[in-house]
Amino acid sequence: MKCAVIVFPASNCDRDAHDAIMHVTGTPPQMVWHGDSEVPDVDLIVLPGGFSYGDYLRCGAMAAHSRIMTDIRRKAGEGVAVLGICNGFQILTEAGLLPGTLMRNAGLKFVCRPVELVVDESQSLFTRNYSRGERVTFPVAHGEGNYFASDDVLDRLEAEGRVAFRYAEGENPNGSARNIAGILNEKRNVLGLMPHPERACDPLLGSVSGRAMFQSLLEKLS
Amino acid sequence: MRARVFVTLKPGVLDPQGKAIGHALNSLGFKSVGDVRQGKVIDLELAETDREKASASLRDMCEKLLANTVIEKYDIELRS
């Protein structure tokens, strides 16, 4: 599986993503600068966490218009797998590749802790090695992770099995609608989620439940 | 031409920051304060003299970047 991790100014989980991919797949991803016009020919593009462009205007709003995004939009349309984690999820919604948006946490505080999630959909490239209803623990670290969309959009996401992860009952750290933590696009090749699977791939970091996501991708895309 | 764009949350969208400001004002003794909503003001200079064209261009800017129309609405004020 060939992977690329996009590096924006003030991305700060790009190296975590690099290490997790390296750890699970054995092959280092290519690190691609946001100002490049083309992503190399890869099977998976990762938009990492961080504070791209200092979160100016709105989280992800500037990055969504950076040069590399034109090619990412095109490749996503062609079916290349795209994984947006945390700020990467915010960028995907701002770019219109995923519906809805991520608002200020309902509690107004930056939340940084492990949270329990429920896998709500295992029929995807990203989640096929999990089982539906399985509980996993990924860390979250964000101030704007409060998923919001109109009721019509939320109903549609649920009806089409596009809610990949939800916060477990009582664990919702940010006020997200219907406890949504991660969603798929219509073609199911784009996943955005606020929690960090790449920070849950090494026992030293307290959880290895993120590995199955990269293994799922590796098995499907190799 | 100069323009001012107001970006605010749509009615019905929860605004925890506005709520917090309201609580703070109440605790400072401003007891008459009810609902508070927070937004952004963006001032721009445009190399444009035609008001119609300026408005159209500003609306386009708002739709594409300045506002996230999933949750925000915008108002444009031209100041020549």
PDB file of all heavy atoms in Angstrom, chain A residues 57-58 61-62 65 94 100-101 103-106 108 146 148-149, chain B residues 9 13-14 16-17 20 40 42 64-68 70-72:
ATOM      1  N   LEU A  57      -9.629  32.158  10.545  1.00  0.00           N
ATOM      2  CA  LEU A  57     -11.004  32.242  10.023  1.00  0.00           C
ATOM      3  C   LEU A  57     -11.879  31.137  10.616  1.00  0.00           C
ATOM      4  O   LEU A  57     -12.769  31.413  11.388  1.00  0.00           O
ATOM      5  CB  LEU A  57     -11.042  32.240   8.493  1.00  0.00           C
ATOM      6  CG  LEU A  57     -12.385  32.618   7.887  1.00  0.00           C
ATOM      7  CD1 LEU A  57     -12.778  34.039   8.209  1.00  0.00           C
ATOM      8  CD2 LEU A  57     -12.370  32.414   6.370  1.00  0.00           C
ATOM      9  N   ARG A  58     -11.668  29.892  10.218  1.00  0.00           N
ATOM     10  CA  ARG A  58     -12.313  28.729  10.838  1.00  0.00           C
ATOM     11  C   ARG A  58     -11.335  27.572  10.686  1.00  0.00           C
ATOM     12  O   ARG A  58     -10.538  27.552   9.739  1.00  0.00           O
ATOM     13  CB  ARG A  58     -13.614  28.332  10.111  1.00  0.00           C
ATOM     14  CG  ARG A  58     -14.740  29.337  10.162  1.00  0.00           C
ATOM     15  CD  ARG A  58     -15.940  28.830   9.356  1.00  0.00           C
ATOM     16  NE  ARG A  58     -15.581  28.498   7.980  1.00  0.00           N
ATOM     17  CZ  ARG A  58     -15.493  29.375   6.990  1.00  0.00           C
ATOM     18  NH1 ARG A  58     -15.746  30.634   7.192  1.00  0.00           N
ATOM     19  NH2 ARG A  58     -15.135  28.990   5.778  1.00  0.00           N
ATOM     20  N   ALA A  61     -10.390  26.019   7.197  1.00  0.00           N
ATOM     21  CA  ALA A  61     -10.928  26.828   6.091  1.00  0.00           C
ATOM     22  C   ALA A  61      -9.839  27.224   5.094  1.00  0.00           C
ATOM     23  O   ALA A  61     -10.065  27.208   3.880  1.00  0.00           O
ATOM     24  CB  ALA A  61     -11.614  28.078   6.632  1.00  0.00           C
ATOM     25  N   MET A  62      -8.672  27.575   5.597  1.00  0.00           N
ATOM     26  CA  MET A  62      -7.579  27.985   4.703  1.00  0.00           C
ATOM     27  C   MET A  62      -6.993  26.774   3.990  1.00  0.00           C
ATOM     28  O   MET A  62      -6.770  26.787   2.780  1.00  0.00           O
ATOM     29  CB  MET A  62      -6.473  28.678   5.502  1.00  0.00           C
ATOM     30  CG  MET A  62      -6.916  29.933   6.204  1.00  0.00           C
ATOM     31  SD  MET A  62      -7.366  31.162   4.989  1.00  0.00           S
ATOM     32  CE  MET A  62      -8.223  32.307   6.006  1.00  0.00           C
ATOM     33  N   HIS A  65      -8.468  25.348   0.867  1.00  0.00           N
ATOM     34  CA  HIS A  65      -8.246  26.038  -0.401  1.00  0.00           C
ATOM     35  C   HIS A  65      -6.777  26.041  -0.812  1.00  0.00           C
ATOM     36  O   HIS A  65      -6.392  26.779  -1.708  1.00  0.00           O
ATOM     37  CB  HIS A  65      -8.774  27.476  -0.317  1.00  0.00           C
ATOM     38  CG  HIS A  65     -10.253  27.515  -0.111  1.00  0.00           C
ATOM     39  ND1 HIS A  65     -11.135  27.300  -1.135  1.00  0.00           N
ATOM     40  CD2 HIS A  65     -11.000  27.671   0.994  1.00  0.00           C
ATOM     41  CE1 HIS A  65     -12.366  27.348  -0.657  1.00  0.00           C
ATOM     42  NE2 HIS A  65     -12.313  27.573   0.636  1.00  0.00           N
ATOM     43  N   GLU A  94     -14.673  21.449   5.300  1.00  0.00           N
ATOM     44  CA  GLU A  94     -14.533  22.778   4.681  1.00  0.00           C
ATOM     45  C   GLU A  94     -14.363  22.664   3.164  1.00  0.00           C
ATOM     46  O   GLU A  94     -14.770  23.544   2.417  1.00  0.00           O
ATOM     47  CB  GLU A  94     -13.356  23.542   5.287  1.00  0.00           C
ATOM     48  CG  GLU A  94     -13.646  24.148   6.663  1.00  0.00           C
ATOM     49  CD  GLU A  94     -14.525  25.401   6.603  1.00  0.00           C
ATOM     50  OE1 GLU A  94     -14.667  25.987   5.516  1.00  0.00           O
ATOM     51  OE2 GLU A  94     -15.081  25.773   7.657  1.00  0.00           O
ATOM     52  N   GLY A 100     -21.613  18.566   6.556  1.00  0.00           N
ATOM     53  CA  GLY A 100     -21.638  19.083   7.932  1.00  0.00           C
ATOM     54  C   GLY A 100     -20.420  19.921   8.248  1.00  0.00           C
ATOM     55  O   GLY A 100     -19.660  20.300   7.350  1.00  0.00           O
ATOM     56  N   THR A 101     -20.254  20.201   9.530  1.00  0.00           N
ATOM     57  CA  THR A 101     -19.106  21.007   9.932  1.00  0.00           C
ATOM     58  C   THR A 101     -18.772  20.707  11.394  1.00  0.00           C
ATOM     59  O   THR A 101     -19.540  20.050  12.096  1.00  0.00           O
ATOM     60  CB  THR A 101     -19.403  22.509   9.728  1.00  0.00           C
ATOM     61  OG1 THR A 101     -18.190  23.236   9.882  1.00  0.00           O
ATOM     62  CG2 THR A 101     -20.418  23.023  10.733  1.00  0.00           C
ATOM     63  N   MET A 103     -17.977  22.414  14.942  1.00  0.00           N
ATOM     64  CA  MET A 103     -18.091  23.682  15.657  1.00  0.00           C
ATOM     65  C   MET A 103     -17.285  23.638  16.947  1.00  0.00           C
ATOM     66  O   MET A 103     -16.796  22.594  17.365  1.00  0.00           O
ATOM     67  CB  MET A 103     -19.561  23.947  15.990  1.00  0.00           C
ATOM     68  CG  MET A 103     -20.425  24.064  14.750  1.00  0.00           C
ATOM     69  SD  MET A 103     -22.128  24.385  15.173  1.00  0.00           S
ATOM     70  CE  MET A 103     -21.967  25.776  16.258  1.00  0.00           C
ATOM     71  N   ARG A 104     -17.206  24.806  17.597  1.00  0.00           N
ATOM     72  CA  ARG A 104     -16.581  24.912  18.911  1.00  0.00           C
ATOM     73  C   ARG A 104     -17.175  23.864  19.848  1.00  0.00           C
ATOM     74  O   ARG A 104     -18.397  23.661  19.844  1.00  0.00           O
ATOM     75  CB  ARG A 104     -16.878  26.320  19.449  1.00  0.00           C
ATOM     76  CG  ARG A 104     -16.006  26.755  20.596  1.00  0.00           C
ATOM     77  CD  ARG A 104     -14.656  26.912  20.058  1.00  0.00           C
ATOM     78  NE  ARG A 104     -13.601  27.302  20.915  1.00  0.00           N
ATOM     79  CZ  ARG A 104     -13.486  28.392  21.650  1.00  0.00           C
ATOM     80  NH1 ARG A 104     -14.459  29.229  21.772  1.00  0.00           N
ATOM     81  NH2 ARG A 104     -12.391  28.653  22.281  1.00  0.00           N
ATOM     82  N   ASN A 105     -16.330  23.199  20.649  1.00  0.00           N
ATOM     83  CA  ASN A 105     -16.830  22.229  21.621  1.00  0.00           C
ATOM     84  C   ASN A 105     -17.918  22.867  22.481  1.00  0.00           C
ATOM     85  O   ASN A 105     -17.766  24.017  22.917  1.00  0.00           O
ATOM     86  CB  ASN A 105     -15.708  21.753  22.543  1.00  0.00           C
ATOM     87  CG  ASN A 105     -14.694  20.876  21.810  1.00  0.00           C
ATOM     88  OD1 ASN A 105     -14.924  20.457  20.679  1.00  0.00           O
ATOM     89  ND2 ASN A 105     -13.581  20.598  22.464  1.00  0.00           N
ATOM     90  N   ALA A 106     -18.974  22.100  22.759  1.00  0.00           N
ATOM     91  CA  ALA A 106     -20.098  22.654  23.515  1.00  0.00           C
ATOM     92  C   ALA A 106     -19.639  23.176  24.878  1.00  0.00           C
ATOM     93  O   ALA A 106     -20.155  24.166  25.383  1.00  0.00           O
ATOM     94  CB  ALA A 106     -21.189  21.614  23.677  1.00  0.00           C
ATOM     95  N   LEU A 108     -16.806  24.527  25.514  1.00  0.00           N
ATOM     96  CA  LEU A 108     -15.861  25.615  25.248  1.00  0.00           C
ATOM     97  C   LEU A 108     -14.412  25.299  25.592  1.00  0.00           C
ATOM     98  O   LEU A 108     -13.538  26.130  25.412  1.00  0.00           O
ATOM     99  CB  LEU A 108     -16.277  26.900  25.991  1.00  0.00           C
ATOM    100  CG  LEU A 108     -17.490  27.627  25.422  1.00  0.00           C
ATOM    101  CD1 LEU A 108     -17.874  28.790  26.320  1.00  0.00           C
ATOM    102  CD2 LEU A 108     -17.207  28.129  24.012  1.00  0.00           C
ATOM    103  N   ASN A 146     -17.167  19.576  17.554  1.00  0.00           N
ATOM    104  CA  ASN A 146     -18.602  19.435  17.790  1.00  0.00           C
ATOM    105  C   ASN A 146     -19.304  19.274  16.439  1.00  0.00           C
ATOM    106  O   ASN A 146     -19.606  20.266  15.775  1.00  0.00           O
ATOM    107  CB  ASN A 146     -19.040  20.705  18.532  1.00  0.00           C
ATOM    108  CG  ASN A 146     -20.496  20.721  18.877  1.00  0.00           C
ATOM    109  OD1 ASN A 146     -21.268  19.851  18.480  1.00  0.00           O
ATOM    110  ND2 ASN A 146     -20.889  21.754  19.621  1.00  0.00           N
ATOM    111  N   PHE A 148     -21.749  19.060  13.535  1.00  0.00           N
ATOM    112  CA  PHE A 148     -23.070  19.638  13.308  1.00  0.00           C
ATOM    113  C   PHE A 148     -23.464  19.463  11.853  1.00  0.00           C
ATOM    114  O   PHE A 148     -22.653  19.661  10.946  1.00  0.00           O
ATOM    115  CB  PHE A 148     -23.048  21.143  13.636  1.00  0.00           C
ATOM    116  CG  PHE A 148     -24.376  21.824  13.384  1.00  0.00           C
ATOM    117  CD1 PHE A 148     -25.309  21.930  14.395  1.00  0.00           C
ATOM    118  CD2 PHE A 148     -24.682  22.329  12.122  1.00  0.00           C
ATOM    119  CE1 PHE A 148     -26.541  22.536  14.161  1.00  0.00           C
ATOM    120  CE2 PHE A 148     -25.918  22.934  11.875  1.00  0.00           C
ATOM    121  CZ  PHE A 148     -26.847  23.031  12.905  1.00  0.00           C
ATOM    122  N   ALA A 149     -24.698  19.046  11.637  1.00  0.00           N
ATOM    123  CA  ALA A 149     -25.273  19.026  10.288  1.00  0.00           C
ATOM    124  C   ALA A 149     -26.780  19.127  10.466  1.00  0.00           C
ATOM    125  O   ALA A 149     -27.294  18.898  11.570  1.00  0.00           O
ATOM    126  CB  ALA A 149     -24.889  17.745   9.560  1.00  0.00           C
TER     127      ALA A 149
ATOM    128  N   LEU B   9     -23.722  33.260  13.317  1.00  0.00           N
ATOM    129  CA  LEU B   9     -24.338  31.934  13.305  1.00  0.00           C
ATOM    130  C   LEU B   9     -25.808  32.060  12.917  1.00  0.00           C
ATOM    131  O   LEU B   9     -26.478  33.014  13.308  1.00  0.00           O
ATOM    132  CB  LEU B   9     -24.219  31.285  14.685  1.00  0.00           C
ATOM    133  CG  LEU B   9     -22.822  30.790  15.057  1.00  0.00           C
ATOM    134  CD1 LEU B   9     -22.784  30.389  16.526  1.00  0.00           C
ATOM    135  CD2 LEU B   9     -22.393  29.610  14.182  1.00  0.00           C
ATOM    136  N   VAL B  13     -28.676  27.747  15.630  1.00  0.00           N
ATOM    137  CA  VAL B  13     -27.403  27.042  15.840  1.00  0.00           C
ATOM    138  C   VAL B  13     -26.861  27.439  17.216  1.00  0.00           C
ATOM    139  O   VAL B  13     -26.756  28.628  17.524  1.00  0.00           O
ATOM    140  CB  VAL B  13     -26.380  27.399  14.742  1.00  0.00           C
ATOM    141  CG1 VAL B  13     -25.022  26.779  15.039  1.00  0.00           C
ATOM    142  CG2 VAL B  13     -26.875  26.945  13.383  1.00  0.00           C
ATOM    143  N   LEU B  14     -26.562  26.462  18.020  1.00  0.00           N
ATOM    144  CA  LEU B  14     -26.093  26.716  19.387  1.00  0.00           C
ATOM    145  C   LEU B  14     -24.800  27.538  19.367  1.00  0.00           C
ATOM    146  O   LEU B  14     -23.882  27.252  18.605  1.00  0.00           O
ATOM    147  CB  LEU B  14     -25.844  25.372  20.093  1.00  0.00           C
ATOM    148  CG  LEU B  14     -25.396  25.469  21.554  1.00  0.00           C
ATOM    149  CD1 LEU B  14     -26.539  25.921  22.442  1.00  0.00           C
ATOM    150  CD2 LEU B  14     -24.836  24.136  22.032  1.00  0.00           C
ATOM    151  N   PRO B  16     -22.215  28.453  22.060  1.00  0.00           N
ATOM    152  CA  PRO B  16     -21.738  28.381  23.447  1.00  0.00           C
ATOM    153  C   PRO B  16     -20.911  29.592  23.855  1.00  0.00           C
ATOM    154  O   PRO B  16     -20.952  30.015  25.018  1.00  0.00           O
ATOM    155  CB  PRO B  16     -20.906  27.098  23.496  1.00  0.00           C
ATOM    156  CG  PRO B  16     -20.685  26.669  22.099  1.00  0.00           C
ATOM    157  CD  PRO B  16     -21.726  27.332  21.247  1.00  0.00           C
ATOM    158  N   GLN B  17     -20.199  30.195  22.888  1.00  0.00           N
ATOM    159  CA  GLN B  17     -19.397  31.382  23.231  1.00  0.00           C
ATOM    160  C   GLN B  17     -20.309  32.548  23.587  1.00  0.00           C
ATOM    161  O   GLN B  17     -20.065  33.273  24.558  1.00  0.00           O
ATOM    162  CB  GLN B  17     -18.498  31.783  22.064  1.00  0.00           C
ATOM    163  CG  GLN B  17     -17.435  30.746  21.781  1.00  0.00           C
ATOM    164  CD  GLN B  17     -16.550  31.144  20.620  1.00  0.00           C
ATOM    165  OE1 GLN B  17     -15.537  31.809  20.810  1.00  0.00           O
ATOM    166  NE2 GLN B  17     -16.926  30.757  19.424  1.00  0.00           N
ATOM    167  N   ALA B  20     -21.657  32.017  27.008  1.00  0.00           N
ATOM    168  CA  ALA B  20     -20.669  32.296  28.057  1.00  0.00           C
ATOM    169  C   ALA B  20     -20.530  33.807  28.271  1.00  0.00           C
ATOM    170  O   ALA B  20     -20.411  34.274  29.407  1.00  0.00           O
ATOM    171  CB  ALA B  20     -19.320  31.679  27.691  1.00  0.00           C
ATOM    172  N   LYS B  40     -18.431  37.529  13.586  1.00  0.00           N
ATOM    173  CA  LYS B  40     -17.178  38.117  13.105  1.00  0.00           C
ATOM    174  C   LYS B  40     -17.482  39.297  12.205  1.00  0.00           C
ATOM    175  O   LYS B  40     -18.478  39.301  11.492  1.00  0.00           O
ATOM    176  CB  LYS B  40     -16.429  37.107  12.224  1.00  0.00           C
ATOM    177  CG  LYS B  40     -15.912  35.898  12.926  1.00  0.00           C
ATOM    178  CD  LYS B  40     -15.138  35.027  11.919  1.00  0.00           C
ATOM    179  CE  LYS B  40     -14.795  33.692  12.548  1.00  0.00           C
ATOM    180  NZ  LYS B  40     -15.456  32.573  11.899  1.00  0.00           N
ATOM    181  N   ILE B  42     -15.526  41.423   9.134  1.00  0.00           N
ATOM    182  CA  ILE B  42     -14.361  41.416   8.244  1.00  0.00           C
ATOM    183  C   ILE B  42     -14.420  42.667   7.370  1.00  0.00           C
ATOM    184  O   ILE B  42     -15.407  42.883   6.659  1.00  0.00           O
ATOM    185  CB  ILE B  42     -14.362  40.146   7.357  1.00  0.00           C
ATOM    186  CG1 ILE B  42     -14.366  38.886   8.245  1.00  0.00           C
ATOM    187  CG2 ILE B  42     -13.154  40.126   6.416  1.00  0.00           C
ATOM    188  CD1 ILE B  42     -14.696  37.611   7.507  1.00  0.00           C
ATOM    189  N   LYS B  64     -17.779  31.161  -0.809  1.00  0.00           N
ATOM    190  CA  LYS B  64     -16.606  30.299  -1.022  1.00  0.00           C
ATOM    191  C   LYS B  64     -15.668  30.220   0.167  1.00  0.00           C
ATOM    192  O   LYS B  64     -14.993  29.217   0.356  1.00  0.00           O
ATOM    193  CB  LYS B  64     -15.820  30.777  -2.249  1.00  0.00           C
ATOM    194  CG  LYS B  64     -16.513  30.420  -3.549  1.00  0.00           C
ATOM    195  CD  LYS B  64     -15.644  30.729  -4.744  1.00  0.00           C
ATOM    196  CE  LYS B  64     -16.321  30.270  -6.032  1.00  0.00           C
ATOM    197  NZ  LYS B  64     -16.117  31.222  -7.123  1.00  0.00           N
ATOM    198  N   LEU B  65     -15.573  31.290   0.949  1.00  0.00           N
ATOM    199  CA  LEU B  65     -14.567  31.276   2.013  1.00  0.00           C
ATOM    200  C   LEU B  65     -14.997  31.942   3.319  1.00  0.00           C
ATOM    201  O   LEU B  65     -14.845  31.353   4.386  1.00  0.00           O
ATOM    202  CB  LEU B  65     -13.262  31.939   1.510  1.00  0.00           C
ATOM    203  CG  LEU B  65     -12.126  32.017   2.537  1.00  0.00           C
ATOM    204  CD1 LEU B  65     -11.599  30.622   2.870  1.00  0.00           C
ATOM    205  CD2 LEU B  65     -10.982  32.889   2.037  1.00  0.00           C
ATOM    206  N   LEU B  66     -15.532  33.162   3.221  1.00  0.00           N
ATOM    207  CA  LEU B  66     -15.683  33.959   4.441  1.00  0.00           C
ATOM    208  C   LEU B  66     -16.677  33.361   5.433  1.00  0.00           C
ATOM    209  O   LEU B  66     -16.508  33.472   6.637  1.00  0.00           O
ATOM    210  CB  LEU B  66     -16.058  35.406   4.099  1.00  0.00           C
ATOM    211  CG  LEU B  66     -15.042  36.152   3.227  1.00  0.00           C
ATOM    212  CD1 LEU B  66     -15.504  37.576   2.965  1.00  0.00           C
ATOM    213  CD2 LEU B  66     -13.663  36.166   3.885  1.00  0.00           C
ATOM    214  N   ALA B  67     -17.726  32.703   4.914  1.00  0.00           N
ATOM    215  CA  ALA B  67     -18.710  32.087   5.812  1.00  0.00           C
ATOM    216  C   ALA B  67     -18.794  30.602   5.525  1.00  0.00           C
ATOM    217  O   ALA B  67     -18.545  30.164   4.399  1.00  0.00           O
ATOM    218  CB  ALA B  67     -20.071  32.729   5.610  1.00  0.00           C
ATOM    219  N   ASN B  68     -19.111  29.825   6.541  1.00  0.00           N
ATOM    220  CA  ASN B  68     -19.419  28.409   6.329  1.00  0.00           C
ATOM    221  C   ASN B  68     -20.945  28.323   6.377  1.00  0.00           C
ATOM    222  O   ASN B  68     -21.545  28.373   7.449  1.00  0.00           O
ATOM    223  CB  ASN B  68     -18.785  27.557   7.421  1.00  0.00           C
ATOM    224  CG  ASN B  68     -19.114  26.085   7.244  1.00  0.00           C
ATOM    225  OD1 ASN B  68     -20.089  25.724   6.606  1.00  0.00           O
ATOM    226  ND2 ASN B  68     -18.287  25.234   7.822  1.00  0.00           N
ATOM    227  N   VAL B  70     -23.073  26.185   6.196  1.00  0.00           N
ATOM    228  CA  VAL B  70     -23.761  25.121   6.936  1.00  0.00           C
ATOM    229  C   VAL B  70     -24.304  25.701   8.250  1.00  0.00           C
ATOM    230  O   VAL B  70     -25.400  25.373   8.676  1.00  0.00           O
ATOM    231  CB  VAL B  70     -22.805  23.946   7.241  1.00  0.00           C
ATOM    232  CG1 VAL B  70     -23.482  22.879   8.099  1.00  0.00           C
ATOM    233  CG2 VAL B  70     -22.280  23.318   5.959  1.00  0.00           C
ATOM    234  N   ILE B  71     -23.533  26.593   8.867  1.00  0.00           N
ATOM    235  CA  ILE B  71     -23.927  27.115  10.179  1.00  0.00           C
ATOM    236  C   ILE B  71     -23.983  28.643  10.236  1.00  0.00           C
ATOM    237  O   ILE B  71     -24.526  29.192  11.179  1.00  0.00           O
ATOM    238  CB  ILE B  71     -22.950  26.642  11.290  1.00  0.00           C
ATOM    239  CG1 ILE B  71     -21.499  26.841  10.850  1.00  0.00           C
ATOM    240  CG2 ILE B  71     -23.229  25.230  11.704  1.00  0.00           C
ATOM    241  CD1 ILE B  71     -20.479  26.689  11.969  1.00  0.00           C
ATOM    242  N   GLU B  72     -23.401  29.315   9.227  1.00  0.00           N
ATOM    243  CA  GLU B  72     -23.293  30.770   9.329  1.00  0.00           C
ATOM    244  C   GLU B  72     -24.075  31.487   8.226  1.00  0.00           C
ATOM    245  O   GLU B  72     -24.233  30.969   7.123  1.00  0.00           O
ATOM    246  CB  GLU B  72     -21.820  31.197   9.246  1.00  0.00           C
ATOM    247  CG  GLU B  72     -20.998  30.741  10.442  1.00  0.00           C
ATOM    248  CD  GLU B  72     -19.487  30.937  10.257  1.00  0.00           C
ATOM    249  OE1 GLU B  72     -19.008  30.919   9.108  1.00  0.00           O
ATOM    250  OE2 GLU B  72     -18.797  31.093  11.268  1.00  0.00           O
TER     251      GLU B  72
END
